[in-house]
Amino acid sequence: MLVYPCGLDVSSRSLSFLAARLREHRRRIKSRWRRLPAGRQALLVLAHLRNGTTYAQLAAGFGVGTSTVYRYIGEAVDLLAALAPTLDEAVRAASTKAYVLLDGTLLPIDRIAADRPFYSGKHKKHGMNVQVIADPFGRLLWASPALPGAVHDVRAAREHGIIDALDQAHIPCWADKGYQGARGTVRVPYRGRWETLSAGQQAVNRSQSKIRALVEQAMATLKNWRLLRKLRCSTTRITSFVQAVLTLHHASSTAG
């Protein structure tokens, strides 16, 4: 396999943050020797998450075995996932905002037609449902654990406790029609065909659509990590990858 230099569009703060966590972990478990130093392991993991670089490609590029790459990535992802903000922490951060935006996204996976629980009728593909909370400027605040793609958005939001948490904190929330019946502080557009809505209802729906459009920026933030655009790992590991990306995002955006 040929090896060539390649750029990685990730903040140096993300690399420094992950390398520091890996060094702390190595000291904690008293790991005496590794094929790669913590900084190189961090770079390897970021290349996998950001570019979706395969284990075989990483093994060739970093001069290690594929099993070593697998262990390095698993170790780092678990460390990052453990540091991801909880829903309660996200709600506390959201309490300082005028309102939040709530939406769901489907992370595509490589499954066959027989895997019905993972098939999303809305998106016409297999995937995992992830709920996203963003601030009024479209900045990503929180991403939920992953559920099978067949789970509808409002059901997913209820299962994660998002609706109750926002309601108890009295935080207004804007969401799309997929959250009809959510109640609490969740505000959704009026249902019905456009021509059957009153002028006032049409004006409300237009206004809500403009507000909710900003949540796409949070979705883009998540999916800029190319691994999440087509996941080929076990579905039991997807939540850890999402939480790892969330941790890196916050580390990059909040570091001084």
Side-chain angles (χ1 to χ4, degrees):
M1 186 178 294
L2 297 176
V3 177
Y4 65 95
C6 180
L8 191 63
D9 61 337
V10 177
S11 167
S12 60
R13 292 194 293 267
S14 297
L15 179 63
S16 299
F17 175 83
L18 178 53
R21 303 292 81 75
L22 289 170
R23 291 188 190 98
E24 292 170 359
H25 175 68
R26 291 183 181 190
R27 285 195 296 268
R28 188 165 55 249
I29 65 174
K30 298 180 180 179
S31 178
R32 296 185 178 181
W33 182 85
R34 296 286 186 97
R35 289 292 302 274
L36 296 179
R40 294 286 288 171
Q41 180 182 354
L43 183 60
L44 181 153
V45 173
L46 291 177
H48 181 64
L49 295 176
R50 190 67 167 188
N51 287 348
T53 309
T54 66
Y55 292 163
Q57 291 169 333
L58 290 169
F62 285 84
V64 296
T66 53
S67 59
T68 300
V69 171
Y70 179 84
R71 289 196 304 271
Y72 277 180
I73 291 174
E75 178 182 53
V77 166
D78 288 342
L79 285 174
L80 291 170
L83 298 173
T86 64
L87 177 59
D88 288 341
E89 291 170 339
V91 169
R92 283 197 293 272
S95 64
T96 63
K97 314 294 182 182
Y99 58 87
V100 296
L101 307 170
L102 173 64
D103 202 358
T105 188
L106 188 80
L107 302 182
I109 59 174
D110 58 341
R111 288 296 183 272
I112 60 175
D115 295 317
R116 296 301 300 176
F118 301 101
Y119 184 77
S120 169
K122 175 182 176 181
H123 298 277
K124 309 300 181 185
K125 64 176 68 173
H126 292 80
M128 300 294 284
N129 180 303
V130 172
Q131 299 293 298
V132 169
I133 297 177
D135 72 5
F137 299 98
R139 293 177 297 214
L140 178 64
L141 294 177
W142 184 75
S144 75
L147 292 175
V151 177
H152 295 289
D153 283 339
V154 67
R155 177 185 160 193
R158 288 196 179 107
E159 288 194 20
H160 295 309
I162 299 171
I163 297 171
D164 288 340
L166 294 175
D167 188 37
Q168 291 169 12
H170 308 292
I171 301 173
C173 172
W174 300 92
D176 63 21
K177 293 179 181 179
Y179 296 88
Q180 290 284 349
R183 304 185 186 280
T185 57
V186 178
R187 303 173 183 177
V188 297
Y190 287 103
R191 295 185 67 179
R193 296 175 62 86
W194 184 257
E195 59 272 15
T196 65
L197 299 178
S198 67
Q201 290 173 332
Q202 291 178 356
V204 169
N205 281 9
R206 277 194 295 266
S207 176
Q208 286 194 10
S209 180
K210 291 179 181 178
I211 293 172
R212 289 187 291 100
L214 290 172
V215 78
E216 294 302 324
Q217 295 182 23
M219 298 297 189
T221 297
L222 201 62
K223 292 189 177 181
N224 273 344
W225 298 82
R226 296 178 184 86
L227 182 76
L228 300 183
R229 297 181 189 176
K230 185 66 173 181
L231 289 151
R232 294 178 173 82
C233 61
S234 167
T235 55
T236 60
R237 292 289 295 162
I238 293 176
T239 290
S240 293
F241 280 113
V242 172
Q243 292 175 333
V245 165
L246 182 62
T247 296
L248 288 169
H249 167 70
H250 282 290
S252 174
S253 59
T254 61

